[in-house]
Amino acid sequence: MKTTISISGMTCGHCVSSVMEELKSLKGVDDVSVDLNAGGISTATVTSHLELAPEEIGEAIAEAGYLVVANDA
């Protein structure tokens, strides 16, 4: 299943790496891709074989230091 998350506060490649690392650490996640929109709303797409709770996705993004503004999960 795919989950798309809109994230604010990301500005560079290091931001992308931090978010990807946190999301990939969630149980059931197979792949993560991030479309960086520096200074705007970036988008992360998470592919997983288990259902992910919006809360755990939000916590992972917050752990990386960013804010979820929308989540289709």
Side-chain angles (χ1 to χ4, degrees), residues 36-69:
L36 176 65
N37 180 7
I41 304 300
S42 300
T43 305
T45 302
V46 178
T47 305
S48 61
H49 58 273
L50 298 175
E51 187 171 344
L52 301 172
E55 298 81 24
E56 69 180 325
I57 292 171
E59 287 172 11
I61 301 293
E63 185 68 29
Y66 307 100
L67 179 67
V68 172
V69 292

Side-chain angles (χ1 to χ4, degrees), residues 9 14 17:
H14 177 66
S17 297

Side-chain angles (χ1 to χ4, degrees), residues 1 3 5 19-33 45-53 56-57 60:
M1 64 188 53
T3 304
I5 307 111
V19 167
M20 288 181 70
E21 182 179 331
E22 290 297 331
L23 290 172
K24 285 181 178 180
S25 72
L26 296 175
K27 184 175 180 159
V29 171
D30 299 316
D31 190 40
V32 177
S33 64
T45 302
V46 178
T47 305
S48 61
H49 58 273
L50 298 175
E51 187 171 344
L52 301 172
E56 69 180 325
I57 292 171

